[in-house]
Amino acid sequence: MKLLKARWLIDSIGRAPIDDGRVLIVDGRIAAVGRADTVSASPGAEVIDLGEATLLPGLIDVHGHLSLDMSRGDVEAQLQEPTPERLIRGVQILRRNLKAGITTMRLCGESRNFIDIACKRAVTNGRLPGPRLLASGNAITSSHGHGLGPAADGVDEVRNAVRRNIQAGADLIKIMVTGGLSGKHESPFSYSYSFEEIAAAVEEAHRAGKRVAAHAHGGTGLRYCLEAGVDTIEHGAYMSEDDIALALEKKAWVVGTFGVVFHPDGLERAFAHVPSIVEKVRQARSEIGHNFKKVVDAGVRYTLGSDSMQGHLAFELECLVTFGVSPFEAIIAATKRAAEACGLEAHIGTLEPGKWADIIGVPGNPLDDITALRRVNLVIKAGTRYDQMSFP
Ligand SMILES: [Zn+2]
């Protein structure tokens, strides 16, 4: 039994922050949450008093990768590293993210050999410290498509690729539809899958009860994704008014990933030697904030992912605030809404009795200064404390 105390508490249900907040944890779940005068623990409970700090639900990174760390640069080389090397890096990435207050990560595609599914099993079994994981296995891409992975061309190969991922244990399916910012010979509007191929992936995945995440920035490819019933549009940097209207109608999610574009250690530095990519990043910087605010204002369901900016989910919230979203709504996006996008809203995303005890603490009040989320000083996942662990 643990009793957490802090000056403020944000439960992410949507109501005002609670002053003098308390959370009682019993057997890995939240037993009680509220003001000091409403929550008490028996004498033997471990008391963790954070003082002038805020308790909030563990952060959920809805778009992550284990095979890619943008801050290292050399993106293409990383994706081609042998599996053992990528696996060890992945283990370190999981630790870094957990320490940063990310208690759940939805992994959006690795290059090969299902290291994400192996890590997911190890974390689930308690053999590896890390955020709770959702894995998508190999990203499904065409021979000339975005990212690296075993190519799947044509409806039949796409169906096979979906089935192989599900057989291996994938929780969701990731399909690369449009080009990206990091490819030398692609644009955010180019697209490498036909409508029929995308629809086949969605049909196969949905029949097995799995959601589909599509890498899509804008243009016809993104439109096809929405029409085919993709569940989450990843990135969505260039959604038009029509796309936004269709996303609303289809109840699709948009997962914003801003750090790769805006963070100084992002694409700009990793690809400083490739002028065409630097130009695309500068272009994106001038448009993404404005575009994403339109997505938010229209009422489209949205959440956030750090992509390959490992440990920097807090920066995504900072970007959102820069775009004009309130710190409160940014926190809701990375907790409650993120849980919904993952299909885990029954268990995580808010601080409510009965939910899994995924709770973080930050000094001060993030509603006054969103950068407080960079300084996570308490990490509890399913009732177990992780912030005091030290590792490389
Ligand atoms: Zn990604």
Side-chain angles (χ1 to χ4, degrees), residues 237-267:
Y238 295 104
M239 287 179 72
S240 68
E241 307 271 350
D242 286 349
D243 296 334
I244 289 172
L246 188 56
L248 266 176
E249 183 192 321
K250 294 280 193 174
K251 297 190 169 61
W253 288 85
V254 179
V255 182
T257 60
F258 313 118
V260 287
V261 173
F262 289 94
H263 197 284
D265 292 339
L267 286 163

Side-chain angles (χ1 to χ4, degrees), residues 308-320:
S308 46
M309 298 305 298
Q310 305 296 348
H312 287 300
L313 186 62
F315 187 79
E316 302 294 333
L317 284 86
E318 291 172 34
C319 287
L320 207 51

Side-chain angles (χ1 to χ4, degrees), residues 66 87 91 94 105 107 113-137 163-171 210 381:
L66 295 183
L87 183 58
V91 167
L94 289 175
M105 260 177 110
L107 297 169
N113 289 339
F114 304 115
I115 63 166
D116 55 339
I117 294 170
C119 285
K120 181 212 157 125
R121 290 189 175 132
V123 170
T124 304
N125 296 339
R127 290 183 286 138
L128 190 65
R132 174 177 294 109
L133 296 178
L134 293 179
S136 56
R163 291 178 184 187
R164 282 195 301 272
N165 278 318
I166 293 172
Q167 180 193 33
D171 300 295
K210 309 296 181 188
K381 189 190 78 172

Side-chain angles (χ1 to χ4, degrees), residues 90-333:
V91 167
Q92 293 178 304
I93 282 170
L94 289 175
R95 292 171 175 183
R96 203 189 317 167
N97 280 296
L98 185 60
K99 290 273 274 189
I102 295 158
T103 49
T104 299
M105 260 177 110
R106 189 184 71 144
L107 297 169
C108 277
E110 306 301 328
S111 49
R112 61 195 182 280
N113 289 339
F114 304 115
I115 63 166
D116 55 339
I117 294 170
C119 285
K120 181 212 157 125
R121 290 189 175 132
V123 170
T124 304
N125 296 339
R127 290 183 286 138
L128 190 65
R132 174 177 294 109
L133 296 178
L134 293 179
S136 56
N138 297 332
I140 299 174
T141 191
S142 65
S143 292
H144 64 318
H146 181 71
L148 271 183
D153 296 315
V155 165
D156 288 347
E157 284 186 20
V158 168
R159 283 190 190 279
N160 286 345
V162 171
R163 291 178 184 187
R164 282 195 301 272
N165 278 318
I166 293 172
Q167 180 193 33
D171 300 295
L172 70 147
I173 294 300
K174 171 73 181 295
I175 181 168
M176 303 292 200
V177 175
T178 77
L181 302 174
S182 61
K184 284 178 202 141
H185 307 295
E186 53 188 58
S187 100
F189 299 98
S190 60
Y191 59 106
S192 55
Y193 272 134
S194 66
F195 177 80
E196 289 72 21
E197 289 167 310
I198 300 165
V202 172
E203 199 262 334
E204 280 296 329
H206 284 180
R207 185 147 38 77
K210 309 296 181 188
R211 295 187 184 186
V212 178
H215 171 101
H217 277 292
T220 306
L222 185 145
R223 187 91 189 158
Y224 281 174
C225 291
L226 290 169
E227 287 170 353
V230 156
D231 301 278
T232 59
I233 297 290
E234 308 298 314
H235 316 301
Y238 295 104
M239 287 179 72
S240 68
E241 307 271 350
D242 286 349
D243 296 334
I244 289 172
L246 188 56
L248 266 176
E249 183 192 321
K250 294 280 193 174
K251 297 190 169 61
W253 288 85
V254 179
V255 182
T257 60
F258 313 118
V260 287
V261 173
F262 289 94
H263 197 284
D265 292 339
L267 286 163
E268 186 179 45
R269 198 168 68 96
F271 288 96
H273 56 291
V274 186
S276 65
I277 293 178
V278 171
E279 179 51 36
K280 275 194 286 185
V281 170
R282 296 213 170 119
Q283 181 68 27
R285 274 185 186 167
S286 69
E287 296 186 42
I288 283 184
H290 178 67
N291 290 350
F292 203 82
K293 187 65 168 37
K294 282 200 277 190
V295 170
V296 172
D297 290 345
V300 175
R301 304 199 288 180
Y302 71 96
T303 180
L304 300 168
S306 64
D307 205 342
S308 46
M309 298 305 298
Q310 305 296 348
H312 287 300
L313 186 62
F315 187 79
E316 302 294 333
L317 284 86
E318 291 172 34
C319 287
L320 207 51
V321 170
T322 308
F323 303 159
V325 174
S326 72
F328 186 72
E329 285 299 326
I331 289 169
I332 298 282

